[in-house]
Amino acid sequence: MNKLKIAIQKSGRLFEDSIKLLKDCGIFYNDGRDQLKVECETFPMEIYFLRNSDIPQYVEDGVVDIAIVGENLLIEKQKDIETVQKLGFSKCRVSLAVPKNVDTDDISFFQNRKIATSYPNTLRNFLQENGIQAEIHLISGSVEIAPNMGLADGICDIVSSGSTLFKNGLRETRTILKSEAVIAKNKNLSSEKEHLLEKFLFRVKAVLKAKNTKYILMNVPNDKIAQVSDILPVLKSPTVIPLADEGWSSIHSVIEEKRFWEVIDELKQAGAQDILIIPIDKMVI
C-alpha cells in the first residue's frame, strides 16, 4: 500500500507545532529516539525528520511527497513546488534592521552599504525591486551580531517578537515579507498519493477550523430568538432548545473567536443571558 511521505523539521520552532498538528489530525507514531523516519499507526503516512533548509529540495525531487515548512524558506529556496494549505502557526516576517543609532527607516539608507543575511535571494529580489544597490554578506547563523562586529551596516533576517534585535542593539525598519507554516507538495504526485493528500488535508482543515471557532450557548426569551439569531454569524441556523422555564429557550451555535467580543454586547442587549463559550476539538463542514 502506498504511503504519503511527509517531511517536517527535525528540530527548531516548527517541530513541536507540526507534531501537534499531526496528533490533532489523529496521526500517531512510535516515538523512537533519534529516528529520521517513522511509520504512522493510524494513517498511511511516513514522517521524515529533516534539516529545515533541505526540505524544499527533497519535496521538489520527490524524495518526500509533502512537507510542513515555512513560507519564507520556500520563497528563499525558489523550488518548483506547490503550497496547498496555510496553517496559521509559526508566524514571522523577514525584515530589514539597522543599528538603533540610525535615525531613518528609509531603505535608501542601504544604498551602497553592506547587508548581512541568511536570505540572499529574498533580499536580492527586494533590493532590485526598489532600485537599491547593496553588498549582500551571506551569514548562515547569528546574523544579528554582524553590525556590531563591523561586518555589515544592517541586516535582513527572520523576526518573530523582535527581542533578539533589541538585545543586539538593532531595530526593525522594513518588513520584506510575512510568513507562516504551510503544507507544500511535489507537483508530480500520483493519483493515489493525491487521494491520500486530500484525506490528510480534510483532517487538517477540520482541526484549523476548530481552533478559530467556538461553540456558543445562551438562554434567550422566546420573543427575542429571531433578534439574537440575526446577530449570530452561524453556519446555517442556530439550534433552539426549549427550557423548563416557560417562555425561555437555549440557543446553540458556533462563532469565530475573534468575532465574539464584537457581538457580545449586541447579544446581551438583545436579551441573551448565561452565555457560555466552549472550545471545539474538531469541526467538519
Side-chain angles (χ1 to χ4, degrees):
M1 178 182 179
N2 262 334
K3 295 188 176 183
L4 194 64
K5 298 177 180 178
I6 183 172
I8 66 172
Q9 191 180 68
K10 67 179 180 180
S11 61
R13 64 190 184 90
L14 272 176
F15 173 78
E16 290 186 4
D17 285 334
S18 299
I19 292 300
K20 184 179 186 306
L21 176 64
L22 294 179
K23 289 181 178 178
D24 288 343
C25 290
I27 299 173
F28 300 93
Y29 62 92
N30 289 324
D31 191 7
R33 205 176 183 89
D34 298 325
Q35 292 187 80
L36 296 180
K37 185 187 85 169
V38 295
E39 293 192 6
C40 299
E41 302 170 351
T42 54
F43 190 83
M45 176 179 281
E46 292 176 346
I47 305 174
Y48 289 73
F49 300 99
L50 303 175
R51 190 170 66 176
N52 192 50
S53 60
D54 293 337
I55 290 177
Q57 185 68 60
Y58 279 116
V59 177
E60 184 181 57
D61 292 344
V63 176
V64 295
D65 304 310
I66 64 173
I68 298 176
V69 66
E71 282 180 295
N72 58 298
L73 184 63
L74 295 183
I75 293 170
E76 173 61 30
K77 294 298 184 179
Q78 301 180 345
K79 300 301 179 182
D80 188 25
I81 58 181
E82 181 181 346
T83 297
V84 294
Q85 178 67 51
K86 294 191 174 187
L87 298 174
F89 58 76
S90 294
K91 291 186 177 183
C92 63
R93 55 196 180 273
V94 176
S95 296
L96 293 169
V98 298
K100 290 179 181 178
N101 60 7
V102 175
D103 60 2
T104 180
D105 289 349
D106 198 294
I107 59 173
S108 62
F109 167 80
F110 292 101
Q111 185 70 34
N112 299 320
R113 296 181 186 267
K114 295 180 181 179
I115 308 174
T117 188
S118 298
Y119 294 88
N121 292 326
T122 303
L123 175 58
R124 187 175 297 110
N125 290 339
F126 175 81
L127 294 176
Q128 289 175 352
E129 290 171 1
N130 288 274
I132 300 296
Q133 298 288 330
E135 181 181 338
I136 297 175
H137 191 88
L138 179 61
I139 297 180
S140 59
S142 301
V143 175
E144 296 86 356
I145 66 172
N148 290 330
M149 296 177 64
L151 294 176
D153 301 294
I155 70 167
C156 173
D157 200 20
I158 192 169
V159 179
S160 295
S161 66
S163 61
T164 304
L165 293 179
F166 180 80
K167 291 175 183 176
N168 285 276
L170 302 174
R171 63 182 186 84
E172 189 176 358
T173 59
R174 177 69 69 92
T175 296
I176 292 179
L177 67 88
K178 293 182 179 180
S179 173
E180 64 185 88
V182 300
I183 297 175
K185 73 161 190 169
N186 177 277
K187 288 187 173 181
N188 300 305
L189 295 184
S190 66
S191 58
E192 188 173 355
K193 291 289 184 74
E194 286 284 3
H195 178 64
L196 289 175
L197 176 57
E198 287 177 10
K199 293 178 67 175
F200 175 54
L201 289 176
F202 176 81
R203 298 189 183 194
V204 170
K205 290 174 183 177
V207 169
L208 295 179
K209 185 67 176 178
K211 284 183 178 179
N212 298 319
T213 309
K214 296 293 183 283
Y215 194 73
I216 184 170
L217 305 85
M218 67 199 77
N219 295 332
V220 178
N222 288 344
D223 61 352
K224 299 293 186 180
I225 290 175
Q227 185 178 350
V228 168
S229 298
D230 287 342
I231 296 170
L232 288 170
V234 296
L235 297 178
K236 288 188 175 68
S237 63
T239 300
V240 180
I241 302 173
L243 296 179
D245 285 351
E246 189 174 346
W248 285 81
S249 293
S250 177
I251 290 184
H252 297 211
S253 186
V254 296
I255 187 171
E256 291 184 4
E257 187 171 28
K258 64 182 180 181
R259 292 287 315 276
F260 174 73
W261 295 110
E262 294 178 21
V263 302
I264 183 63
D265 288 335
E266 293 181 59
L267 292 173
K268 291 174 67 178
Q269 289 173 11
Q273 298 180 14
D274 308 321
I275 301 172
L276 299 179
I277 298 292
I278 302 173
I280 299 174
D281 187 44
K282 307 288 187 298
M283 188 170 177
V284 179
I285 300 176

